[in-house]
Amino acid sequence: DGGITQSPKYLFRKEGQNVTLSCEQNLNHDAMYWYRQDPGQGLRLIYYSQIVNDFQKGDIAEGYSVSREKKESFPLTVTSAQKNPTAFYLCASSIRPAPTDTQYFGPGTRLTVL
Amino acid sequence: QKEVEQNSGPLSVPEGAIASLNCTYSDRGSQSFFWYRQYSGKSPELIMFIYSNGDKEDGRFTAQLNKASQYVSLLIRDSQPSDSATYLCAAYPNDYKLSFGAGTTVTVRA
């Protein structure tokens, strides 16, 4: 059963805490992405990774960090430096980081700051 | 100017009618275009992609691309209540970033 999994589904963070969102895929995709979605807005790219051990900043990388130690995994850490982290976080993957390759999304993690 | 803009909606159509969604993009070098459907509280799911000028049909959905006008649209024929969702248009410019519009919310009235 191939796909993209994200955990947890809901996450609550206290002010000043770092939290890590998990993203795993068993599609054998090279490229993985993290997006943030705020109510009534489109998706904004946080980070992306084209291959293992490589990743690039997207449009809104400040306050976030990632790692890509395995092809299957691309965890996102929301640090205390991110001032407004409450949002819906979506992980995606594609076969390659190419314009002809579709990005497929995981189910998302909804993060709320208490 | 936003890279991808969609008509703001919401769009309300009666069941069985055609829903027409529009999208414009600013980067003339954009190579491919995607339409995603997103139900409330869920993640986006791909409906269609289109690379070439003209129409592309898949079941009740038709995507139309006009690169000269930098315009892409999605038609939903015989709209059903299950089509009620937010539709996201996305364009792939000449780098590795997929740029999304803010989405158009469609409500199909029974």
Side-chain angles (χ1 to χ4, degrees):
Chain A
D1 189 19
I4 305 171
T5 57
Q6 292 185 243
S7 62
K9 187 174 181 179
Y10 298 98
L11 185 57
F12 299 92
R13 191 193 92 168
K14 294 182 180 179
E15 296 274 356
Q17 275 185 337
N18 292 354
V19 292
T20 298
L21 284 59
S22 170
C23 177
E24 304 276 334
Q25 54 97 1
N26 61 4
L27 301 168
N28 201 31
H29 286 177
D30 283 331
M32 297 187 74
Y33 312 82
W34 274 105
Y35 292 91
R36 168 181 173 144
Q37 186 176 35
D38 293 283
Q41 297 189 33
L43 281 63
R44 293 184 289 167
L45 183 65
I46 304 172
Y47 269 97
Y48 64 97
S49 169
Q50 300 175 45
I51 56 173
V52 176
N53 293 321
D54 178 72
F55 50 83
Q56 306 294 331
K57 292 183 179 180
D59 297 323
I60 55 166
E62 185 175 352
Y64 300 97
S65 66
V66 293
S67 62
R68 185 89 186 275
E69 297 175 1
K70 298 187 299 182
K71 187 174 185 177
E72 304 80 22
S73 178
F74 191 40
L76 173 74
T77 297
V78 184
T79 74
S80 57
Q82 171 48 237
K83 298 306 178 188
N84 186 23
T86 295
F88 189 38
Y89 289 87
L90 289 157
C91 178
S93 70
S94 62
I95 296 174
R96 301 164 301 164
T100 53
D101 289 342
T102 300
Q103 292 186 22
Y104 296 96
F105 288 86
T109 293
R110 196 166 297 277
L111 173 62
T112 303
V113 174
L114 300 175
Chain B
Q1 182 185 9
K2 293 183 180 178
E3 291 181 334
V4 177
E5 299 208 45
Q6 299 183 241
N7 44 342
S8 57
L11 178 65
S12 180
V13 298
E15 186 173 357
I18 296 174
S20 178
L21 291 76
N22 301 318
C23 174
T24 57
Y25 58 96
S26 60
D27 190 327
R28 188 170 287 278
S30 296
Q31 300 179 42
S32 54
F33 306 87
F34 299 82
W35 283 100
Y36 287 87
R37 176 176 62 199
Q38 186 176 26
Y39 292 114
S40 181
K42 303 296 185 182
S43 62
E45 55 182 336
L46 180 73
I47 298 176
M48 294 187 69
F49 59 84
I50 187 166
Y51 308 142
S52 303
N53 274 330
D55 295 358
K56 179 181 179 182
E57 188 174 314
D58 184 0
R60 296 185 295 111
F61 298 95
T62 299
Q64 300 173 317
L65 175 59
N66 184 326
K67 289 188 176 181
S69 300
Q70 295 177 238
Y71 170 92
V72 58
S73 66
L74 180 71
L75 300 177
I76 308 173
R77 292 183 302 281
D78 188 24
S79 295
Q80 302 297 309
S82 59
D83 295 327
S84 296
T86 297
Y87 290 79
L88 301 172
C89 173
Y92 221 129
N94 287 323
D95 55 22
Y96 300 111
K97 185 180 75 172
L98 192 58
S99 295
F100 285 84
T104 299
T105 298
V106 174
T107 300
V108 179
R109 310 187 303 270

